[in-house]
Amino acid sequence: MPWLGLGVFKVEDGVSVSEVVKSAIAAGYRSIDTAMVYRNEAGVGQGIRESGVPRDQLFITTKVWNADQGYESTLKAFEDSMERLGLDDLDLYLVHWPVKGKYVETWRALVELYQRGRVRAIGVSNFQIHHLEDVIRDSGVVPMVNQIEYHPHLSQKPLLEFCKRNGIQPEAWSPLAQGRLTDHPALADIGSKYGKTPSQVILRWDLQHGVVTIPKSVRPERQKENAEIFDFELSADDMAAIDALNLDQRIGPDPDNFNF
Ligand code: NDP
């Protein structure tokens, strides 16, 4: 799984998302994160096909939406996503949210898809420790990935430690807090030491914490900026200074209390 991917939440389907996907692939991205509910899987598939990069060099993620959860309905939702993407196989399929009363059987369907060889990796998103424990207890299969809200204002240390102890790869959604941290003064100060922007500092902090990151940008110059994070290393002091910015503050819904 690549350490860096492109998120496409809120990017409009059709020409718009296919151009965004193509410019990211041209900039060196090899991983794209979409979801049924983003309603842009078809355009993502088109961008992949037109990118000129062979399918087997790309890592494509999509997710089963809440309304489709349940065993049979998830198996069907998977095939519908594949049809829209126009792909024969998928790299990573995720349970988008832990819908109460549904997520355990949804996870069983993902295990079935994995055993049938329809998908190379299966995981979850927005799962707290107790949700992870539930699916592991029920199926005996540990999710390979947990995609969670993660940025310097929400570092979720206990969840991250649980994931690492259990061999679950954490992945950061809204790593830039949807753009709210891209001109943070403390991050700008740290960045100035390395000739890097606040966004690059945040994304590098993700990597050094062993967290896969998927920033979204529709602008080629920002896609390029967000990808230039493999040529410097934050010092232990700077990592600690960024850790200290944590406020346990979500910008998205609380996985223990959502109603969609
Ligand atoms: P991000 O934290 O990636 O921030 C995106 C915002 O930051 C956009 O407004 C973008 O604007 C701006 N931006 C990007 N790069 C820069 C930069 N270098 N400098 C300044 N501004 C910048 O937010 P997302 O919520 O999109 O999260 C990323 C991805 O995570 C999503 O696209 C989606 O794939 C996934 N996700 C998953 C969720 C889940 O429940 N599993 C929930 C939410 C997101 P512009 O595009 O104009 O450049």
Side-chain angles (χ1 to χ4, degrees):
M1 180 178 193
W3 284 105
L4 172 75
L6 178 80
V8 295
F9 179 42
K10 291 190 174 156
V11 185
E12 208 180 303
D13 199 14
V15 178
S16 178
V17 77
S18 69
E19 291 304 320
V20 165
V21 165
K22 278 191 281 183
S23 72
I25 293 175
Y29 288 71
R30 290 295 175 267
S31 167
I32 310 289
D33 179 85
T34 185
M36 181 275 169
V37 77
Y38 303 167
R39 305 209 176 272
N40 59 16
E41 290 172 309
V44 167
Q46 185 187 338
I48 292 166
R49 284 188 297 281
E50 292 174 357
S51 71
V53 171
R55 167 69 185 95
D56 63 5
Q57 290 176 27
L58 299 171
F59 188 96
I60 310 302
T61 301
T62 193
K63 316 181 188 90
V64 54
W65 183 239
N66 300 354
D68 291 325
Q69 288 201 33
Y71 186 80
E72 292 298 336
S73 45
T74 295
L75 296 178
K76 178 170 187 314
F78 174 83
E79 297 305 337
D80 291 347
S81 280
M82 297 305 287
E83 201 173 310
R84 282 188 295 271
L85 284 161
L87 299 178
D88 296 326
D89 50 41
L90 189 70
D91 298 283
L92 177 62
Y93 199 42
L94 300 177
V95 181
H96 207 146
W97 286 87
V99 175
K100 266 195 196 122
K102 292 275 179 80
Y103 64 86
V104 168
E105 49 171 321
T106 303
W107 178 247
R108 282 188 210 149
L110 265 62
V111 172
E112 172 67 24
L113 289 166
Y114 178 74
Q115 284 169 346
R116 286 186 198 166
R118 294 292 287 128
V119 55
R120 275 186 279 280
I122 51 174
V124 296
S125 179
N126 300 301
F127 274 41
Q128 308 278 49
I129 292 172
H130 66 97
H131 300 121
L132 291 164
E133 286 172 338
D134 282 350
V135 296
I136 295 168
R137 196 182 311 112
D138 177 76
S139 66
V141 180
V142 181
M144 297 171 196
V145 171
N146 189 13
Q147 186 184 107
I148 55 171
E149 183 181 341
Y150 182 81
H151 45 68
H153 282 173
L154 183 73
S155 52
Q156 309 219 54
K157 211 169 165 205
L159 178 55
L160 225 68
E161 281 170 1
F162 179 90
C163 286
K164 288 188 179 167
R165 264 201 316 278
N166 287 280
I168 302 168
Q169 175 61 51
E171 181 175 31
W173 66 252
S174 295
L176 305 174
Q178 292 182 345
R180 282 171 233 190
L181 291 175
T182 55
D183 51 10
H184 192 290
L187 298 171
D189 279 351
I190 292 172
S192 65
K193 295 191 230 170
Y194 303 88
K196 294 289 177 180
T197 65
S199 304
Q200 291 169 324
V201 168
I202 297 172
L203 300 171
R204 179 71 206 182
W205 172 79
D206 293 344
L207 303 189
Q208 288 184 218
H209 274 312
V211 178
V212 166
T213 193
I214 48 168
K216 169 258 176 188
S217 180
V218 296
R219 308 183 203 197
E221 69 281 6
R222 284 182 176 173
Q223 292 177 348
K224 196 163 167 291
E225 174 188 333
N226 295 345
E228 288 170 351
I229 53 172
F230 296 96
D231 58 353
F232 74 114
E233 188 168 350
L234 294 164
S235 68
D237 285 350
D238 289 333
M239 287 294 287
I242 304 168
D243 290 345
L245 298 176
N246 180 44
L247 300 171
D248 289 331
Q249 192 176 80
R250 293 183 184 280
I251 52 169
D254 177 351
D256 277 321
N257 190 16
F258 64 97
N259 60 355
F260 51 88

